Amino acid sequence: MPLFPQTRPRRLRLTKGIRDLVAETKLSIDDLIMPIFVKEGLDKPEPIEAMPGYYRYPVSDVVKVVGEALENGVKVFLLFGIPLPEKKDHLGSAAYDPNGPVPQAIRLIRKEFGEEPVIFTDVCICGYTSHGHCGIPVEKHGRSLIDNDSTLDVISRMAVVHAEAGADFVAPSGMMDGMVGAIREALDDEGYTEVGIMSYAVKYASGFYGPFREAADSAPRFGDRRSYQMDPRNAYEAIKEAFLDIEEGADILMVKPALAYLDVIRLVKENYPHYPLAAYNVSGEYSMVKAAAEKGWIDEKLVTFEILTAIKRAGADIIITYHALDVAKWLREGYSPF
Ligand code: PBG
């Protein structure tokens, strides 16, 4: 056992109490953010096939979902909205509809539970555009390009609408250049100086988002996102991306996905130790665990704790994870993995 230096040829007893006492990494429910999908036009929860145990909820169900989570100790939520298909357009204008699914859900949560739940919202247009891109495509010189600046206008309006409804933090996830600065300015101009920004500063163009795209119906209808998300081969570039977002006013940084990027989490934390760092344990990471567990090939609880602990050990302070409610329930049942 490496924890206690073996200066003499003897071993210390390592009971559970002693192991817990000297454990370097301690995972707590306070570290976790639970994503919630709210979908316009539903009358009952809709299971997400690629994410066993996860659902898209009617907006009115959000009170029940948040209530159950709060009872189990989960206090922080990240809301994703799914509009009616006919509301999707080229510009993603439904994203800033004050009566869209997310603003409605926030108002319901605030009305029922007041200030207690911490509400983050995803700010990206991919679920609201007819083409499924995170930015607005334009034709230029016979090619389709993402128009960064017009996208910034739309996501800034979206952020203000979420702030107005009562969000604590907005989380821009589209990796548009200047998104944090544009949103900060828009929020401040409208008087929402107290609303924070959690930036998806370091987001890789990853295959691990597959199940989410089914969940949020947000897959790009043409092309891919490699022009505006990071290349999995790069790590040091993450330092630059984090730096830019800090300069623009990000309050919390994020690395996404988590599991294949533990080195990047460590790198960002070591370079910016004074910023809270979140890691997104994304849909593909969740679904792989669920699928293997369903087949009886792994111990779901142990593997889930091992993964979340590893993400924390790498340097994340906050973990966004679809396992949040399961973990909360297991802990309440007295489960202890190590
Ligand atoms: C929206 C967004 C995505 C995720 C979070 N916000 C989808 C994407 O980038 O394709 C992915 C989360 C997950 O896979 O769990 N841009």
Side-chain angles (χ1 to χ4, degrees), residues 80 122 124 126 173 203 209 212-213 225 256 282-283 322:
F80 290 94
D122 184 69
C124 186
C126 60
S173 64
K203 176 171 177 181
Y209 310 145
F212 175 94
R213 293 180 183 170
R225 300 194 173 140
K256 173 183 167 194
V282 299
S283 56
Y322 304 99

Side-chain angles (χ1 to χ4, degrees), residues 9-331:
R10 68 177 174 80
R11 286 187 167 270
L12 289 177
R13 223 184 354 257
L14 279 175
T15 57
K16 169 131 180 74
I18 298 173
R19 292 198 306 276
D20 286 349
L21 183 70
V22 296
E24 294 173 22
T25 310
K26 289 171 188 175
L27 185 73
S28 148
I29 282 300
D30 297 342
D31 306 326
L32 307 183
I33 302 183
M34 173 180 164
I36 299 177
F37 297 101
V38 284
K39 182 172 168 179
E40 210 172 5
L42 281 187
D43 53 15
K44 59 175 193 312
E46 196 172 65
I48 301 166
E49 210 174 305
M51 299 176 68
Y54 238 76
Y55 296 82
R56 297 177 205 92
Y57 291 100
V59 178
S60 56
D61 272 18
V62 79
V63 168
K64 212 163 60 193
V65 175
V66 168
E68 190 197 359
L70 289 172
E71 269 168 33
N72 282 283
V74 178
K75 311 186 274 281
V76 193
F77 305 93
L78 172 60
L79 301 181
F80 290 94
I82 305 152
L84 291 172
E86 59 269 27
K87 293 210 178 146
K88 296 189 185 203
D89 61 17
H90 188 75
L91 299 173
S93 47
Y96 53 81
D97 176 0
N99 290 314
V102 169
Q104 274 193 49
I106 301 170
R107 288 192 292 266
L108 288 174
I109 297 169
R110 288 285 178 240
K111 193 166 152 225
E112 186 72 21
F113 305 107
E115 289 296 301
E116 188 197 347
V118 182
I119 305 178
F120 286 70
T121 61
D122 184 69
V123 171
C124 186
I125 59 174
C126 60
Y128 298 85
T129 52
S130 42
H131 43 76
H133 278 284
C134 306
I136 300 164
V138 287
E139 288 293 322
K140 205 167 166 189
H141 311 307
R143 285 201 196 144
S144 184
L145 301 171
I146 297 294
D147 187 53
N148 200 83
D149 291 354
S150 57
T151 308
L152 293 183
D153 289 341
V154 177
I155 61 177
S156 299
R157 291 176 73 170
M158 185 178 185
V160 168
V161 165
H162 293 176
E164 232 160 40
D168 295 295
F169 279 85
V170 293
S173 64
M175 283 286 269
M176 294 296 121
D177 292 334
M179 66 181 182
V180 174
I183 289 175
R184 186 69 271 161
E185 197 181 317
L187 289 173
D188 292 350
D189 283 352
E190 298 295 324
Y192 296 106
T193 49
E194 73 285 6
V195 173
I197 300 177
M198 174 170 75
S199 173
Y200 287 60
V202 181
K203 176 171 177 181
Y204 286 89
S206 168
F208 287 98
Y209 310 145
F212 175 94
R213 293 180 183 170
E214 183 219 306
D217 186 24
S218 65
R221 307 292 187 267
F222 59 87
D224 56 44
R225 300 194 173 140
R226 279 180 253 187
S227 69
Y228 49 96
Q229 299 182 350
M230 282 181 59
D231 185 326
R233 291 173 294 189
N234 299 345
Y236 294 107
E237 190 187 355
I239 301 173
K240 183 190 75 182
E241 291 289 350
F243 173 76
L244 292 172
D245 283 12
I246 288 171
E247 290 276 283
E248 290 178 28
D251 301 288
I252 301 175
L253 302 171
M254 193 206 296
V255 173
K256 173 183 167 194
L259 210 43
Y261 300 89
L262 295 176
D263 58 325
V264 179
I265 294 173
R266 169 62 60 88
L267 199 59
V268 173
K269 189 64 196 173
E270 286 190 343
N271 277 273
Y272 304 105
H274 46 307
Y275 279 86
L277 178 61
Y280 202 138
N281 175 217
V282 299
S283 56
E285 301 172 21
Y286 168 86
S287 299
M288 289 194 304
V289 172
K290 288 287 179 183
E294 270 177 11
K295 287 189 172 274
W297 291 345
I298 55 168
D299 174 340
E300 180 181 355
K301 293 182 188 176
L302 180 58
V303 166
T304 301
F305 271 88
E306 205 172 320
I307 287 174
L308 296 177
T309 303
I311 296 170
K312 244 202 125 176
R313 193 190 63 226
D317 305 294
I318 300 166
I319 306 172
I320 302 154
T321 178
Y322 304 99
H323 297 292
L325 185 57
D326 284 343
V327 166
K329 288 181 175 170
W330 296 336
L331 287 175

